[in-house]
Amino acid sequence: MTDELRLEELGVAVLVYGQSNGHVELIEDLRAAGLEDEHLIVVHNPDRPTDGWRPVSPDGATVIALERNVGYAAGMNRAIDAFAARGLNAVLLLTHDVRVQRTTLRALVAAANAAPGYGVLGLAVRGAGGVETSYGSFLRGDGIVEHVTRRPDGEGVADSMFVDGSAMFVRVNACGPSPLPERYFMYFEEAELCSNVRRRGWGVGTALDAAATSVSGIRHRRAAFQYLYVRNGLDWAWRHQGRGAALRYLAHELRRAAVDVPKPGGRRFRDSQQRRAGYEALLARLLGVGDFLRRRWGPPPELLLRASDVRNV
């Protein structure tokens, strides 16, 4: 590879879950944007025991079919390592719900060449986290991660504390092999990656002109999300920001739990669905705290998976 990245040297990994083939439109977008089929890897996390089903992919692409749902980090790590074995240093990680424009890949490559000291670049993702457009995110004083919704000044690349994992560019030589924390299963992997890349002396930023859209899947797994958000967030804050940040994070989540639980006599308490959702959220957060303290990792407990779309873990 030359020092200057070319589009022909970019590998793209698409993480697919279940058997919906909802990623087909994304593949069409990527091909229209100039991606060569042989530089595409489709990673399939199945939602049921393997029965021979394979996601749709171009003939020249590689499919990594996993036997069970190993989560975001483990799936993406397989693709990063596969690209590294081919000698590719630049990899774009996308989840199946992302859509890109014809100009997105070239804008990303131009940004990477203009900012060679950045080991991770996020995209300007419309819909990430439910916001209009996310230009990265940051940690607030109360310990909560918040999206940057106003486009930063300047052109090219803007510094970011974190980027959104649904659409994330990484340099393999900046992050090393299997760089995403597989113990997290889902959520906060990008925070861990960005922190470690920054510690290694590389920058983290957002490619402002590389646009994408995404759809948050939190509504399909609210209790599982709350559990993982609390457990993984506490772990990340404790190790990278210190005890004070972790305690602030914990206090914020416990306050949210207290507010969200429907109180007897209130309108929300009389609504059985809202009452159940409130108590599920409280249980998920408490389980997340408990499992952080006892260092239990991996997917959420089976109790929380029953009301989610997370299967075959």
Side-chain angles (χ1 to χ4, degrees), residues 156-301:
V157 172
D159 284 335
S160 300
M161 189 172 189
F162 312 125
V163 301
D164 194 274
S166 65
M168 180 169 62
F169 168 91
V170 299
R171 299 184 194 270
V172 178
N173 62 343
C175 63
S178 298
L180 293 162
E182 298 186 11
R183 67 186 183 280
Y184 281 3
F185 189 75
M186 296 171 66
Y187 303 113
F188 267 90
E189 300 98 329
E190 60 266 69
E192 178 76 1
L193 175 64
C194 291
S195 298
N196 290 335
V197 164
R198 195 177 290 110
R199 181 177 294 172
R200 292 166 68 118
W202 293 79
V204 175
T206 298
L208 301 177
D209 296 321
T213 61
S214 178
V215 178
S216 173
I218 292 174
R219 69 183 185 278
H220 301 300
R221 61 188 81 101
R222 291 192 182 279
F225 164 77
Q226 286 154 345
Y227 166 87
L228 292 167
Y229 191 84
V230 169
R231 186 197 67 183
N232 299 347
L234 276 172
D235 181 67
W236 176 85
W238 183 275
R239 291 183 303 100
H240 290 285
Q241 298 288 312
R243 180 183 301 178
L247 291 175
R248 288 193 297 273
Y249 187 89
L250 174 61
H252 182 276
E253 288 301 311
L254 292 179
R255 283 196 300 271
R256 285 181 62 189
V259 170
D260 289 349
V261 172
K263 311 301 188 297
R267 181 184 305 171
R268 292 172 59 234
F269 188 83
R270 291 193 294 271
D271 186 312
S272 61
Q273 290 187 337
Q274 291 193 36
R275 186 172 66 248
R276 182 168 59 252
Y279 287 125
E280 285 178 351
L282 174 62
L283 175 63
R285 289 185 171 108
L286 292 177
L287 287 174
V289 173
D291 282 352
F292 162 71
L293 293 174
R294 68 189 183 104
R295 320 309 285 167
R296 177 202 178 275
W297 306 115

Side-chain angles (χ1 to χ4, degrees), residues 41-87:
I41 291 180
V42 177
V43 183
H44 179 225
N45 266 333
D47 62 352
R48 65 197 72 180
T50 304
D51 57 6
W53 187 90
R54 289 171 65 87
V56 171
S57 63
D59 290 339
T62 298
V63 175
I64 299 177
L66 302 168
E67 293 185 359
R68 61 184 177 84
N69 179 11
V70 297
Y72 170 92
M76 289 304 199
N77 278 342
R78 304 297 186 275
I80 293 171
D81 293 347
F83 280 126
R86 299 180 191 179

